[in-house]
Amino acid sequence: MERLLLYLLKSPSLFCPSEGRQKYVPFTRHSSQTTLQIFRLSAAYRSRFYPIKEGGRILEFIYAGKEFKTLGGLTVGTATTHYYASKEFKAKQETTKSFTCSPQEVISGGDFGQSTYCHLILGLHFSTQVEFVASAFSYTIVQAFSFFQEVWREICADIKEGNLSSRITLPNMRKAVLALIRPNPSLASHIEEICLELESSLGWLGLIPKLWPNAKYISSIMTGSMLPYLKKLRHYAGGLPLVSADYGSTESWIGVNVDPHLPPEDVSFAVIPTFSYFEFIPLYRQQNHQDVSTDVDFVEEKPVPLSQVKLGQEYELVLTTFTGLYRYRLGDVVEVTGFYKGTPKLSFIYRRKLILTINIDKNTEKDLQRVVDKASQLLSRTTQAEVVDFTSHADVTARPGHYIIYWEIRGEAEDKALEECCREMDAGFVDHGYVVSRRMKSIGPLELRVVEGGTFGKVAEMCVGKCGGLNQFKTPRCTTNSVMLNILDDSTVKRFRSSAYD
Ligand code: AMP
């Protein structure tokens, strides 16, 4: 224990979301080393199916957040922030012989829009050398290219003149990018020609292979909560293979995609038994589960070790890690879909109890309940109104995606008070993934939609048929159900956008 403590004191640690509190999870050299190990492994598996040229470039949409020090002197930040700042990140580029297009100043700029613009301009500057396009989660690639649809003319003008738009205000980022680009009128007119065609007749279908003709594939996490972005990603990919990236968490890496040629919907991950000590809690779905509500629950059995998992069985993962976590429940539900050289292959089902997620943010029903409770107390204190019922929705169709919270209220409330409640809820989600994404503007301002009286009654009526009785009905605290969303949107009488991160 003493050795572990010393080691932790010398090493950075990081946040991890935990129902309303931010939680520190240890992150040590071992964590960066296993990251390097899994990236090398997965690059090797990918190259079996999609060989790439040594020394080529990756158009990588990657972003490092800010780090800070605790009073005790430990560095705190997200796992990716630590990794991009570590020597292992440089080592990964050297050993896999693939180099990211953007310099450190772009990766760690701390502003999503500015970094994305620079990733795009540099990706185009090196376009013929780009061997593949990547990001941590596919949400980011989709966001980046939908942003490109808006700014491509500006980017072309910059490439033509070797200049950088005034939207890039961060001095270090400007300097680093300007040092790399040169006026290139012929590249600019080539891009312009392609974009005009993509815009007018193709609806941006196949944008990636058209602009990066030597790209062999697209790689990022596409499973789990990223599945909703697949359609748009396929549209931009226009037939280019989509390679689903590996499975891991801040706490520990878990498994590698040994079948990179499979479509993301069929991907599973071979557990690397040396990354942590893995245990598995067998889960059995409750009979008569009401699917309208998202709080699926399971009957659990005693955990089994990796060597005793069964094909077709669902489990929750438990980790004992080299960084000091003992029998830590990750909350992920996985299914054993096969074995690879004796190690189980897991397909990711979903994160238990997680309801709101767009990008790297993770909020549970309890997190939502807590922010709504706080804001509704504020409403009761400042007005004659009260919250009657509520639900939420992660809107990923807008750019950037954002949370919508629907409130039905009783009594009179001034707009100013509701605006304040909206702000309070946005600021109330303390999950670090959410806070970082909001600060970097990769998630938009939270929206409060006030619906007219009786709306949740209509929602309940709609659900009765499916739930088998009103007395069993319980308002889903988050929904993607289109019928329910239609009822809520048709009944919306007021909308507010949070100013919490302005
Ligand atoms: P974090 O701790 O923020 O790094 O998030 C880790 C969580 O992201 C995991 O516990 C999963 O719920 C999810 N995740 C990570 N990798 C994948 C993957 N390849 N497919 C689906 N979900 C994933």
Side-chain angles (χ1 to χ4, degrees), residues 107-170:
I107 297 167
S108 55
D111 182 292
F112 186 70
Q114 295 193 41
S115 296
T116 304
Y117 189 92
C118 294
H119 283 320
L120 286 164
I121 203 165
L122 291 169
L124 288 163
H125 173 75
F126 294 114
S127 56
T128 52
Q129 298 171 44
V130 168
E131 291 288 311
F132 67 99
V133 177
S135 74
F137 288 93
S138 49
Y139 168 79
T140 327
I141 301 184
V142 169
Q143 291 288 304
F145 289 122
S146 92
F147 177 57
F148 179 75
Q149 288 180 224
E150 283 171 28
V151 296
W152 67 268
R153 285 189 171 81
E154 211 172 316
I155 288 184
C156 280
D158 281 350
I159 291 177
K160 188 173 171 188
E161 280 154 31
N163 209 342
L164 201 49
S165 154
S166 58
R167 68 168 71 230
I168 311 303
T169 55
L170 296 163

Coordinates of all heavy atoms in Angstrom, one line a residue, residues 107-170:
I107 N -3.9 20.5 -30.6 CA -4.6 19.5 -29.8 C -5.0 20.0 -28.5 O -6.0 19.7 -28.0 CB -3.6 18.3 -29.7 CG1 -3.3 17.7 -31.1 CG2 -4.2 17.2 -28.8 CD1 -2.2 16.7 -31.1
S108 N -4.1 20.8 -27.9 CA -4.4 21.2 -26.5 C -4.8 22.7 -26.4 O -4.6 23.3 -25.3 CB -3.1 20.9 -25.6 OG -2.0 21.6 -26.2
G109 N -5.4 23.2 -27.4 CA -5.8 24.6 -27.4 C -6.9 24.9 -26.4 O -7.1 26.0 -26.0
G110 N -7.8 23.9 -26.2 CA -8.9 24.1 -25.2 C -10.1 24.7 -25.8 O -11.0 25.0 -25.1
D111 N -10.2 24.9 -27.1 CA -11.4 25.5 -27.7 C -11.8 24.6 -28.9 O -11.0 24.5 -29.9 CB -11.1 26.9 -28.2 CG -12.4 27.6 -28.8 OD1 -12.8 27.1 -29.9 OD2 -12.9 28.5 -28.2
F112 N -12.9 23.9 -28.8 CA -13.3 22.9 -29.7 C -13.4 23.5 -31.2 O -12.8 22.9 -32.1 CB -14.6 22.3 -29.3 CG -15.1 21.2 -30.1 CD1 -14.5 19.9 -30.1 CD2 -16.2 21.3 -31.0 CE1 -14.9 18.9 -30.8 CE2 -16.6 20.2 -31.8 CZ -16.0 19.0 -31.7
G113 N -14.0 24.6 -31.3 CA -14.2 25.2 -32.7 C -12.9 25.6 -33.3 O -12.6 25.2 -34.5
Q114 N -12.0 26.2 -32.6 CA -10.7 26.7 -33.1 C -9.8 25.5 -33.4 O -9.2 25.4 -34.5 CB -10.0 27.6 -32.1 CG -10.8 28.9 -31.9 CD -10.0 29.9 -31.2 OE1 -8.8 30.1 -31.5 NE2 -10.6 30.7 -30.3
S115 N -9.8 24.5 -32.5 CA -9.0 23.3 -32.8 C -9.5 22.5 -34.0 O -8.7 22.1 -34.9 CB -9.0 22.3 -31.6 OG -8.4 22.9 -30.5
T116 N -10.9 22.4 -34.1 CA -11.4 21.7 -35.3 C -11.1 22.4 -36.6 O -10.7 21.7 -37.6 CB -13.0 21.6 -35.1 OG1 -13.2 20.9 -33.8 CG2 -13.6 20.7 -36.2
Y117 N -11.2 23.7 -36.6 CA -10.8 24.4 -37.8 C -9.4 24.1 -38.2 O -9.1 23.9 -39.4 CB -11.0 25.9 -37.6 CG -10.9 26.8 -38.8 CD1 -12.1 27.1 -39.5 CD2 -9.7 27.3 -39.2 CE1 -12.0 27.9 -40.7 CE2 -9.6 28.1 -40.4 CZ -10.7 28.4 -41.1 OH -10.6 29.2 -42.2
C118 N -8.5 24.2 -37.2 CA -7.1 23.9 -37.5 C -6.8 22.5 -37.9 O -6.0 22.2 -38.8 CB -6.2 24.4 -36.4 SG -6.3 26.1 -36.1
H119 N -7.5 21.5 -37.3 CA -7.4 20.1 -37.7 C -7.7 20.0 -39.2 O -7.1 19.3 -39.9 CB -8.3 19.2 -36.9 CG -7.8 18.9 -35.5 ND1 -6.5 18.7 -35.1 CD2 -8.5 18.8 -34.3 CE1 -6.4 18.4 -33.8 NE2 -7.7 18.5 -33.3
L120 N -8.8 20.7 -39.5 CA -9.3 20.5 -40.9 C -8.3 21.2 -41.9 O -8.0 20.6 -42.9 CB -10.7 21.2 -41.0 CG -11.9 20.4 -40.4 CD1 -13.1 21.3 -40.3 CD2 -12.2 19.2 -41.3
I121 N -7.9 22.4 -41.6 CA -7.0 23.0 -42.5 C -5.7 22.3 -42.7 O -5.2 22.1 -43.8 CB -6.8 24.5 -42.1 CG1 -6.4 25.4 -43.3 CG2 -5.8 24.7 -41.0 CD1 -6.5 26.9 -43.1
L122 N -5.2 21.7 -41.6 CA -3.9 21.0 -41.7 C -4.1 19.6 -42.4 O -3.3 19.2 -43.1 CB -3.3 20.8 -40.3 CG -2.8 22.1 -39.7 CD1 -2.4 21.9 -38.2 CD2 -1.6 22.6 -40.4
G123 N -5.3 19.0 -42.1 CA -5.7 17.8 -42.8 C -5.7 18.0 -44.3 O -5.2 17.1 -45.0
L124 N -6.2 19.1 -44.7 CA -6.2 19.4 -46.1 C -4.9 19.8 -46.7 O -4.5 19.4 -47.8 CB -7.2 20.5 -46.4 CG -8.7 20.1 -46.2 CD1 -9.6 21.2 -46.1 CD2 -9.1 19.1 -47.4
H125 N -4.1 20.5 -45.9 CA -2.7 20.8 -46.3 C -1.9 19.5 -46.6 O -1.2 19.5 -47.5 CB -2.1 21.6 -45.2 CG -0.6 21.9 -45.3 ND1 -0.2 22.9 -46.3 CD2 0.5 21.4 -44.8 CE1 1.1 22.9 -46.2 NE2 1.6 22.0 -45.3
F126 N -2.1 18.5 -45.7 CA -1.4 17.2 -45.9 C -2.3 16.2 -46.6 O -2.0 15.0 -46.5 CB -1.0 16.7 -44.5 CG 0.0 17.5 -43.8 CD1 -0.3 18.1 -42.6 CD2 1.3 17.6 -44.2 CE1 0.6 18.8 -41.8 CE2 2.2 18.4 -43.5 CZ 1.9 19.0 -42.3
S127 N -3.3 16.7 -47.4 CA -4.3 15.7 -47.8 C -3.8 14.5 -48.5 O -4.3 13.4 -48.3 CB -5.4 16.4 -48.6 OG -4.8 17.1 -49.7
T128 N -2.8 14.6 -49.3 CA -2.4 13.4 -50.1 C -1.6 12.4 -49.2 O -1.5 11.3 -49.5 CB -1.5 13.8 -51.3 OG1 -0.4 14.6 -50.8 CG2 -2.3 14.5 -52.4
Q129 N -1.1 12.9 -48.1 CA -0.4 12.0 -47.2 C -1.3 11.3 -46.1 O -0.8 10.5 -45.4 CB 0.7 12.8 -46.4 CG 1.7 13.5 -47.3 CD 2.6 14.4 -46.4 OE1 3.0 14.1 -45.3 NE2 2.9 15.6 -46.9
V130 N -2.5 11.8 -46.1 CA -3.4 11.2 -45.0 C -3.8 9.8 -45.3 O -4.4 9.5 -46.3 CB -4.6 12.1 -44.8 CG1 -5.7 11.4 -43.9 CG2 -4.2 13.5 -44.2
E131 N -3.4 8.9 -44.4 CA -3.7 7.4 -44.6 C -5.0 7.0 -43.9 O -5.6 6.0 -44.3 CB -2.5 6.6 -44.0 CG -1.2 6.8 -44.8 CD -1.3 6.1 -46.1 OE1 -1.7 4.9 -46.1 OE2 -0.9 6.7 -47.1
F132 N -5.4 7.7 -42.8 CA -6.7 7.4 -42.3 C -7.2 8.6 -41.4 O -6.4 9.4 -41.1 CB -6.8 6.1 -41.5 CG -5.9 6.0 -40.3 CD1 -6.5 6.1 -39.0 CD2 -4.6 5.7 -40.3 CE1 -5.8 6.0 -37.8 CE2 -3.8 5.5 -39.2 CZ -4.4 5.7 -37.9
V133 N -8.5 8.6 -41.1 CA -9.1 9.6 -40.4 C -9.5 9.0 -39.0 O -10.0 7.9 -39.0 CB -10.3 10.2 -41.1 CG1 -11.0 11.3 -40.3 CG2 -9.9 10.8 -42.5
A134 N -9.3 9.7 -37.9 CA -9.5 9.1 -36.6 C -10.0 10.2 -35.6 O -9.8 11.4 -35.8 CB -8.3 8.4 -36.1
S135 N -10.6 9.6 -34.5 CA -11.0 10.5 -33.4 C -11.2 9.5 -32.2 O -11.3 8.2 -32.5 CB -12.2 11.3 -33.6 OG -13.3 10.5 -33.5
A136 N -11.3 9.9 -31.0 CA -11.6 9.0 -29.9 C -13.0 8.5 -30.1 O -13.2 7.3 -30.1 CB -11.4 9.7 -28.6
F137 N -14.0 9.3 -30.2 CA -15.4 8.9 -30.3 C -15.9 9.5 -31.7 O -15.6 10.6 -32.0 CB -16.2 9.5 -29.2 CG -16.0 8.7 -27.9 CD1 -15.1 9.2 -27.0 CD2 -16.6 7.6 -27.6 CE1 -14.8 8.6 -25.8 CE2 -16.4 6.9 -26.4 CZ -15.5 7.4 -25.5
S138 N -16.8 8.7 -32.3 CA -17.2 9.1 -33.7 C -18.0 10.4 -33.7 O -18.1 11.1 -34.7 CB -17.9 8.0 -34.4 OG -18.9 7.5 -33.6
Y139 N -18.6 10.8 -32.6 CA -19.3 12.0 -32.5 C -18.5 13.2 -33.0 O -18.9 14.0 -33.8 CB -19.7 12.3 -31.0 CG -20.2 13.7 -30.7 CD1 -21.5 14.0 -31.0 CD2 -19.4 14.6 -30.1 CE1 -22.0 15.3 -30.6 CE2 -19.8 15.9 -29.8 CZ -21.1 16.2 -30.0 OH -21.6 17.5 -29.7
T140 N -17.2 13.2 -32.6 CA -16.3 14.3 -33.0 C -16.1 14.4 -34.5 O -16.0 15.5 -35.0 CB -14.9 14.1 -32.3 OG1 -15.2 13.5 -31.0 CG2 -14.2 15.4 -32.1
I141 N -16.0 13.2 -35.2 CA -15.7 13.3 -36.6 C -17.0 13.8 -37.3 O -16.9 14.7 -38.2 CB -15.4 11.9 -37.2 CG1 -14.2 11.3 -36.5 CG2 -15.2 11.9 -38.7 CD1 -13.7 10.0 -37.1
V142 N -18.1 13.4 -36.9 CA -19.4 13.9 -37.5 C -19.5 15.4 -37.3 O -19.9 16.1 -38.2 CB -20.6 13.1 -36.9 CG1 -21.9 13.7 -37.3 CG2 -20.6 11.6 -37.3
Q143 N -19.2 15.8 -36.0 CA -19.3 17.3 -35.7 C -18.3 18.0 -36.6 O -18.6 19.1 -37.2 CB -18.9 17.5 -34.3 CG -19.9 17.0 -33.3 CD -21.1 17.9 -33.2 OE1 -21.0 19.1 -33.0 NE2 -22.2 17.3 -33.5
A144 N -17.1 17.5 -36.8 CA -16.1 18.2 -37.5 C -16.5 18.4 -39.0 O -16.3 19.5 -39.5 CB -14.7 17.4 -37.4
F145 N -17.0 17.3 -39.6 CA -17.4 17.5 -41.0 C -18.7 18.3 -41.2 O -18.8 18.9 -42.2 CB -17.4 16.1 -41.7 CG -16.0 15.5 -41.8 CD1 -15.7 14.3 -41.3 CD2 -15.0 16.3 -42.5 CE1 -14.4 13.8 -41.4 CE2 -13.8 15.8 -42.6 CZ -13.4 14.6 -42.1
S146 N -19.5 18.3 -40.2 CA -20.7 19.1 -40.4 C -20.3 20.6 -40.2 O -20.8 21.5 -40.9 CB -21.9 18.7 -39.6 OG -21.9 19.3 -38.4
F147 N -19.3 20.8 -39.4 CA -18.7 22.2 -39.3 C -18.0 22.6 -40.6 O -18.1 23.7 -41.1 CB -17.7 22.2 -38.1 CG -16.9 23.4 -37.9 CD1 -17.6 24.6 -37.6 CD2 -15.5 23.4 -37.8 CE1 -16.9 25.8 -37.4 CE2 -14.8 24.6 -37.6 CZ -15.5 25.7 -37.4
F148 N -17.3 21.6 -41.2 CA -16.6 21.8 -42.5 C -17.6 22.3 -43.6 O -17.3 23.2 -44.4 CB -15.9 20.6 -42.9 CG -15.2 20.7 -44.2 CD1 -14.0 21.4 -44.3 CD2 -15.7 20.2 -45.4 CE1 -13.3 21.6 -45.5 CE2 -15.1 20.3 -46.6 CZ -13.9 21.1 -46.7
Q149 N -18.8 21.7 -43.6 CA -19.8 22.1 -44.5 C -20.1 23.6 -44.5 O -20.4 24.2 -45.4 CB -21.1 21.4 -44.3 CG -21.1 19.9 -44.7 CD -22.4 19.2 -44.5 OE1 -22.4 18.1 -44.0 NE2 -23.5 19.8 -44.8
E150 N -20.0 24.2 -43.2 CA -20.2 25.6 -43.0 C -19.0 26.5 -43.4 O -19.2 27.6 -43.8 CB -20.6 25.9 -41.6 CG -21.9 25.5 -41.2 CD -22.1 25.6 -39.6 OE1 -21.4 26.4 -39.0 OE2 -22.9 24.8 -39.1
V151 N -17.8 26.0 -43.1 CA -16.7 26.8 -43.2 C -15.7 26.5 -44.4 O -14.6 27.1 -44.4 CB -15.9 26.8 -41.9 CG1 -16.7 27.4 -40.7 CG2 -15.3 25.4 -41.6
W152 N -16.1 25.7 -45.3 CA -15.1 25.2 -46.3 C -14.6 26.4 -47.1 O -13.5 26.4 -47.5 CB -15.7 24.1 -47.1 CG -16.8 24.4 -48.0 CD1 -18.2 24.3 -47.7 CD2 -16.8 24.9 -49.4 NE1 -18.9 24.7 -48.8 CE2 -18.1 25.1 -49.8 CE3 -15.7 25.2 -50.3 CZ2 -18.4 25.5 -51.1 CZ3 -16.0 25.6 -51.5 CH2 -17.3 25.8 -51.9
R153 N -15.5 27.4 -47.4 CA -15.0 28.5 -48.2 C -14.0 29.3 -47.5 O -13.0 29.7 -48.1 CB -16.2 29.4 -48.5 CG -17.1 28.9 -49.6 CD -18.2 29.9 -50.1 NE -18.9 29.4 -51.2 CZ -19.9 28.5 -51.2 NH1 -20.3 28.1 -50.0 NH2 -20.5 28.1 -52.3
E154 N -14.2 29.5 -46.2 CA -13.2 30.2 -45.4 C -11.8 29.4 -45.4 O -10.8 30.0 -45.5 CB -13.7 30.3 -44.0 CG -13.3 31.5 -43.2 CD -14.1 31.5 -41.9 OE1 -15.4 31.3 -41.9 OE2 -13.5 31.8 -40.8
I155 N -12.0 28.1 -45.3 CA -10.8 27.3 -45.2 C -10.0 27.4 -46.6 O -8.8 27.5 -46.6 CB -11.1 25.8 -44.9 CG1 -11.5 25.7 -43.4 CG2 -10.0 24.8 -45.2 CD1 -11.8 24.3 -42.9
C156 N -10.8 27.3 -47.7 CA -10.2 27.4 -49.0 C -9.4 28.8 -49.1 O -8.3 28.8 -49.7 CB -11.2 27.3 -50.1 SG -11.7 25.7 -50.4
A157 N -10.1 29.9 -48.7 CA -9.4 31.2 -48.8 C -8.1 31.2 -48.0 O -7.1 31.7 -48.4 CB -10.4 32.2 -48.2
D158 N -8.1 30.6 -46.8 CA -6.9 30.5 -46.0 C -5.8 29.7 -46.7 O -4.6 30.0 -46.7 CB -7.2 29.8 -44.6 CG -7.9 30.8 -43.7 OD1 -7.9 32.0 -44.0 OD2 -8.3 30.4 -42.6
I159 N -6.2 28.5 -47.3 CA -5.2 27.7 -48.0 C -4.6 28.5 -49.2 O -3.4 28.4 -49.4 CB -5.8 26.4 -48.4 CG1 -6.1 25.5 -47.1 CG2 -4.9 25.6 -49.4 CD1 -6.8 24.2 -47.4
K160 N -5.5 29.2 -49.9 CA -5.1 29.9 -51.1 C -4.0 30.9 -50.7 O -2.9 31.0 -51.3 CB -6.3 30.7 -51.7 CG -6.0 31.3 -53.0 CD -7.3 31.8 -53.5 CE -7.0 32.7 -54.8 NZ -8.2 33.4 -55.2
E161 N -4.2 31.6 -49.6 CA -3.3 32.7 -49.2 C -2.2 32.3 -48.1 O -1.4 33.1 -47.8 CB -4.1 33.9 -48.7 CG -4.6 34.7 -49.9 CD -5.9 35.5 -49.5 OE1 -6.0 35.8 -48.3 OE2 -6.7 35.7 -50.4
G162 N -2.3 31.1 -47.6 CA -1.4 30.7 -46.6 C -1.7 31.5 -45.3 O -0.8 31.8 -44.5
N163 N -2.9 31.8 -45.1 CA -3.3 32.7 -44.0 C -4.2 31.9 -43.0 O -4.6 30.8 -43.3 CB -4.1 33.9 -44.6 CG -4.0 35.1 -43.7 OD1 -3.6 35.0 -42.5 ND2 -4.3 36.2 -44.3
L164 N -4.6 32.5 -41.9 CA -5.5 31.8 -41.0 C -6.6 32.8 -40.6 O -6.3 33.9 -40.2 CB -4.6 31.4 -39.8 CG -5.2 30.3 -38.9 CD1 -5.6 29.1 -39.7 CD2 -4.2 29.8 -37.9
S165 N -7.8 32.3 -40.6 CA -9.0 33.1 -40.3 C -8.9 33.8 -39.0 O -8.3 33.2 -38.0 CB -10.2 32.1 -40.3 OG -11.2 32.6 -39.5
S166 N -9.6 34.9 -38.9 CA -9.6 35.7 -37.6 C -10.3 34.9 -36.5 O -10.3 35.3 -35.3 CB -10.2 37.0 -37.8 OG -11.5 36.9 -38.3
R167 N -11.0 33.8 -36.9 CA -11.7 33.0 -35.9 C -10.7 32.3 -35.0 O -11.0 31.8 -33.9 CB -12.8 32.1 -36.5 CG -12.2 30.9 -37.3 CD -13.2 29.9 -37.6 NE -14.2 30.2 -38.6 CZ -15.5 30.1 -38.4 NH1 -16.0 29.5 -37.3 NH2 -16.3 30.4 -39.3
I168 N -9.5 32.2 -35.4 CA -8.4 31.5 -34.6 C -7.8 32.7 -33.8 O -7.0 33.4 -34.3 CB -7.4 30.7 -35.4 CG1 -8.1 29.8 -36.4 CG2 -6.4 30.0 -34.5 CD1 -9.0 28.8 -35.8
T169 N -8.2 32.7 -32.5 CA -7.7 33.8 -31.7 C -6.6 33.4 -30.7 O -6.0 34.2 -30.1 CB -8.9 34.4 -30.9 OG1 -9.5 33.4 -30.2 CG2 -9.9 35.1 -31.8
L170 N -6.4 32.1 -30.6 CA -5.4 31.6 -29.6 C -4.0 31.8 -30.2 O -3.7 31.2 -31.2 CB -5.7 30.2 -29.2 CG -7.0 29.9 -28.5 CD1 -7.4 28.4 -28.6 CD2 -6.9 30.4 -27.1

